[in-house]
Amino acid sequence: MEREEKIQLTKRLIAHVDHDSTDYADDLLRVPFSVFDDPELARKELAVVRRFPHIVAHLDEFEKTGSFVTTDLMGTPLLLVKQSDGTIRAFSNVCRHRGSKVEFAESGCKRVFSCPYHNWAYGKDGALRGMPHAEGFDGMDRTEYGLVEFPCEVRHSLVWVVPTPGADLDIAATLGHKHDAEVADTGMTTSYQVRKETWRLGMNWKIAVDGVQDSYHLCQLHTKTVCNYLEGNITAFDMVDRSWRLVVARKSITEVRDADPDTYDVRDYSLANYTVYPGTMLVTEPNHFEVWTIVPDPDDPNVSYCTIRLLSPTKPQTAREERILEKNWDLLMETLHDEDWFVTKTITDNAANGQVDELIYGRNELPGQVFHTMVARDVAALAAPVGEPVA
């Protein structure tokens, strides 16, 4: 983060603390309650979400050439493989012969991937290398029957995939070059993956995203946990295209009110959440990172999946460093399971039966307003004639 940006960000946050204010939207936003429980809308949203990048792995999961990881992204089975040049490529984990999975293990290391059904074999580059009784397929061009490939990029030690063949992928441009540089400056690019866990949540995906974007609830819901460290409803919001940075002030930020700007780093007195639309959050804290990936279930609007990665700038070298990271993870789990998800699960339950027509997002809920407005516009654009503007 540039020196002047650090100074201005510190001033913005301290001013908000002094005035008990935040960065505001221009007006209130009213959202139909049905957006969390509408099967037809969920189908359209899935089509939208599949057009954007999502994090599917960390570089630590690929130790050497041929290392692979299999996963599922909104119903699309993926096979991620480290190439000889050190890059990661993403393929559909589907045999081009009769559609079986090619690889059933969650991870490992191989030079060749063979479908167990008829033993069609694919190289780590996805190319079809061989098949038993090849004479039965005379006239078939093997070069056209490699594994289907998806756009894949490694950025900030994270493996990003768009589950749509041929889609554009440029994470630096998506984050915005200023924010991309800030993330790199935190040390995430050389990070070490400490923990990773995925949950199937009984709630609409937008509810889960809302929770990570919302600073309004920090000192309302989390009175005995997060509120001890962070200021509630006090944030600085900056947007670049379809990504944004949300910075939450720590309780300690007023300690540097009159300090020499060159003697401290505002990142030690705040929490920054870099959101990559629609459901990826890179949360940077002074001594660790949280990487969130939230996606909808491909079939049920009342189900979503959330993967959280806990990263350390470097691999822990001492037992004390390990204990600190474990403590951070435990605090996160406590707030999520006992507070956030315990409460937000009721939103999904109420969407179908609560007899409420609409929800209201306040001017102080700017990230939520931006997120819901963007999703609604993208869904509307699906049905709009080519070239026609979407309101």
Side-chain angles (χ1 to χ4, degrees):
M1 186 178 293
E2 297 293 333
R3 180 178 184 275
E4 188 59 30
E5 176 69 14
K6 293 179 182 179
I7 294 172
Q8 293 305 316
L9 181 56
T10 305
K11 289 180 177 179
R12 287 171 66 186
L13 292 172
I14 291 178
H16 280 323
V17 172
D18 290 344
H19 297 94
D20 193 21
S21 60
T22 190
D23 283 4
Y24 293 104
D26 293 334
D27 205 346
L28 302 175
L29 176 70
R30 291 172 173 82
V31 175
F33 207 173
S34 60
V35 302
F36 299 122
D37 190 46
D38 183 336
E40 179 60 21
L41 178 60
R43 183 186 65 78
K44 294 176 180 178
E45 288 177 352
L46 181 68
V48 167
V49 175
R50 291 179 64 87
R51 297 179 178 184
F52 293 96
H54 305 272
I55 294 167
V56 294
H58 185 278
L59 274 183
D60 280 353
E61 299 174 65
F62 303 88
E63 293 185 2
K64 52 189 176 181
T65 298
S67 292
F68 70 87
V69 171
T70 62
T71 188
D72 181 279
L73 183 58
M74 292 174 286
T76 297
L78 296 178
L79 172 63
L80 309 158
V81 189
K82 186 171 184 177
Q83 305 296 305
S84 299
D85 62 1
T87 61
I88 308 297
R89 293 175 68 177
F91 305 101
S92 176
N93 191 10
V94 178
C95 181
R96 297 296 303 278
H97 173 217
R98 297 275 290 275
S100 168
K101 274 190 175 182
V102 172
E103 180 56 57
F104 285 77
E106 292 184 1
S107 62
C109 187
K110 290 183 176 181
R111 291 187 302 106
V112 176
F113 298 88
S114 298
C115 169
Y117 196 7
H118 297 93
N119 204 32
W120 279 36
Y122 301 86
K124 60 180 181 293
D125 61 353
L128 178 60
R129 299 299 185 191
M131 61 187 89
H133 307 292
E135 71 279 0
F137 296 88
D138 287 344
M140 186 192 85
D141 184 352
R142 289 193 189 186
T143 64
E144 296 180 359
Y145 285 86
L147 299 176
V148 173
E149 187 166 7
F150 296 106
C152 179
E153 180 183 348
V154 175
R155 192 77 179 171
H156 305 306
S157 78
L158 304 165
V159 183
W160 308 69
V161 169
V162 181
T164 300
D168 294 332
L169 181 57
D170 185 342
I171 299 302
T174 300
L175 262 172
H177 293 290
K178 174 175 167 292
H179 290 165
D180 181 72
E182 290 179 6
V183 172
D185 193 42
T186 65
M188 186 180 291
T189 299
T190 55
S191 63
Y192 171 79
Q193 182 166 281
V194 178
R195 295 284 295 268
K196 182 198 82 168
E197 193 162 348
T198 299
W199 296 269
R200 181 182 188 273
L201 304 179
M203 65 182 74
N204 183 272
W205 73 282
K206 297 189 297 295
I207 295 173
V209 172
D210 266 347
V212 193
Q213 299 292 312
D214 177 25
S215 69
Y216 181 27
H217 80 287
L218 293 182
C219 284
Q220 315 303 325
L221 178 61
H222 303 307
T223 55
K224 297 180 180 179
T225 51
V226 176
C227 189
N228 292 323
Y229 310 100
L230 300 175
E231 295 279 2
N233 201 50
I234 292 178
T235 58
F237 181 87
D238 296 279
M239 188 167 182
V240 178
D241 193 21
R242 290 177 176 271
S243 300
W244 52 89
R245 182 191 67 186
L246 179 69
V247 183
V248 181
R250 290 185 174 275
K251 298 280 190 182
S252 57
I253 195 164
T254 54
E255 295 175 4
V256 297
R257 180 192 302 276
D258 301 315
D260 180 343
D262 294 321
T263 63
Y264 69 88
D265 190 332
V266 66
R267 290 175 296 194
D268 293 332
Y269 297 88
S270 62
L271 177 154
N273 178 343
Y274 295 86
T275 292
V276 179
Y277 176 84
T280 299
M281 280 69 68
L282 310 179
V283 181
T284 65
E285 299 209 34
N287 299 307
H288 73 272
F289 313 107
E290 296 167 15
V291 176
W292 297 60
T293 304
I294 298 171
V295 296
D297 182 84
D299 302 308
D300 190 339
N302 296 318
V303 172
S304 58
Y305 295 87
C306 176
T307 298
I308 301 177
R309 290 177 163 83
L310 178 68
L311 311 181
S312 174
T314 58
K315 186 175 182 178
Q317 300 298 313
T318 66
R320 180 178 180 275
E321 290 177 347
E322 292 177 350
R323 286 195 302 270
I324 290 174
L325 289 166
E326 192 67 26
K327 181 179 178 181
N328 289 330
W329 180 263
D330 290 344
L331 176 62
L332 177 61
M333 293 301 102
E334 180 182 356
T335 57
L336 276 179
H337 293 283
D338 297 344
E339 297 170 353
D340 281 298
W341 290 343
F342 175 77
V343 172
T344 55
K345 170 66 169 67
T346 67
I347 299 174
T348 288
D349 299 337
N350 292 338
N353 306 299
Q355 305 302 311
V356 174
D357 293 330
E358 64 179 18
L359 305 181
I360 188 165
Y361 286 70
R363 292 180 56 238
N364 59 323
E365 298 178 282
L366 177 55
Q369 288 203 23
V370 168
F371 170 65
H372 283 278
T373 298
M374 198 172 289
V375 173
R377 285 179 179 173
D378 284 345
V379 167
L382 289 177
V386 175
E388 181 175 305
V390 178

